[in-house]
Amino acid sequence: TQLLEQSPQFLSIQEGENLTVYCNSSSVFSSLQWYRQEPGEGPVLLVTVVTGGEVKKLKRLTFQFGDARKDSSLHITAAQPGDTGLYLCAGAQGGSYIPTFGRGTSLIVHP
Amino acid sequence: DAGVTQSPTHLIKTRGQHVTLRCSPISGHKSVSWYQQVLGQGPQFIFQYYEKEERGRGNFPDRFSARQFPNYSSELNVNALLLGDSALYLCASSFLDSLNQPQHFGDGTRLSIL
């Protein structure tokens, strides 16, 4: 059982469409991070959310941390082919040094 | 500025052999973490080192070990390799040891066990 469940697992859309991916857990996290990983490369940090209810925007990407700090979402507006990649959420619980990653959402944006 | 560098980029080994993977953190970063990423899954935490001391260990057998050197570079060692050890091994560095600190990943070492 994954501590962080990501959905959907796969997403294939056309350029210009909007999409939302989810990261859910039954546990409370002190913080959650979102990463994007492209084939053959390591994950690149997009954002860290810390406060329940927090919303952060990064150009066309909007990240939200749930009020109870158990879930998060990533919304992409007007997706572009350059958004293609594996989107990973990761979190740490309390004072733990052991971060947990979800399995990721694989996004393909077709031109 | 150089990012996190890992070597080698690819490696092929056979069952029972051992392997050493290397990681150089971003200059000034004192924390190094190691992850295993199996195809189709997210990275799984193996170790974290800060100021040459182990700060965290994931659920991996004792065949996995690591160390951090005075220059903050790190090695991951895996003994008695199994087929299931085939994966992308990622190294990440950060300035402090808190997981709220941004982690910067290298591009990984792709390890294949035959």
Side-chain angles (χ1 to χ4, degrees):
Chain A
T1 303
Q2 286 282 114
L3 193 59
L4 282 170
E5 297 284 348
Q6 290 193 244
S7 62
Q9 189 175 355
F10 300 99
L11 197 53
S12 179
I13 62 172
Q14 293 297 127
E15 182 176 2
E17 292 184 21
N18 300 332
L19 67 117
T20 302
V21 298
Y22 300 92
C23 175
N24 295 304
S25 176
S26 58
S27 302
V28 175
F29 288 86
S30 56
S31 67
L32 271 177
Q33 292 82 39
W34 283 94
Y35 294 82
R36 181 171 66 217
Q37 185 177 23
E38 299 187 30
E41 298 182 8
V44 175
L45 179 67
L46 298 174
V47 78
T48 298
V49 286
V50 178
T51 306
E54 183 177 6
V55 177
K56 284 191 173 180
K57 292 191 175 183
L58 185 65
K59 296 183 180 178
R60 294 176 294 100
L61 278 60
T62 301
F63 305 84
Q64 187 162 7
F65 200 13
D67 291 340
R69 291 186 289 134
K70 293 183 179 181
D71 55 83
S72 182
S73 64
L74 159 59
H75 181 79
I76 301 179
T77 303
Q80 299 177 1
D83 295 328
T84 293
L86 179 68
Y87 287 82
L88 295 157
C89 67
Q93 294 182 289
S96 170
Y97 285 108
I98 299 179
T100 300
F101 276 82
R103 289 190 175 182
T105 292
S106 181
L107 172 66
I108 299 176
V109 182
H110 301 278
Chain B
D1 288 341
V4 176
T5 57
Q6 293 187 243
S7 62
T9 56
H10 296 83
L11 199 52
I12 299 174
K13 291 285 189 178
T14 57
R15 283 177 296 177
Q17 287 188 311
H18 70 271
V19 68
T20 298
L21 310 181
R22 295 177 176 83
C23 172
S24 293
I26 290 173
S27 178
H29 283 191
K30 300 180 180 181
S31 174
V32 170
S33 298
W34 287 95
Y35 296 82
Q36 181 195 67
Q37 187 175 23
V38 175
L39 195 62
Q41 297 192 19
Q44 190 169 0
F45 175 79
I46 309 176
F47 288 110
Q48 185 200 23
Y49 277 78
Y50 179 73
E51 291 280 16
K52 294 169 288 181
E53 291 189 1
E54 182 182 303
R55 288 300 190 98
R57 172 185 283 257
N59 187 25
F60 280 81
D62 292 343
R63 299 185 295 108
F64 288 76
S65 63
R67 55 180 176 169
Q68 186 177 33
F69 299 100
N71 66 355
Y72 302 113
S73 67
S74 178
E75 285 183 352
L76 175 70
N77 296 284
V78 187
N79 294 324
L81 288 166
L82 303 174
L83 292 178
D85 295 331
S86 295
L88 179 68
Y89 288 84
L90 294 162
C91 172
S93 77
S94 59
F95 181 64
L96 296 175
D97 62 347
S98 167
L99 287 173
N100 287 336
Q101 287 281 307
Q103 290 198 86
H104 300 265
F105 282 84
D107 288 338
T109 293
R110 173 72 62 186
L111 176 62
S112 299
I113 310 301
L114 304 180

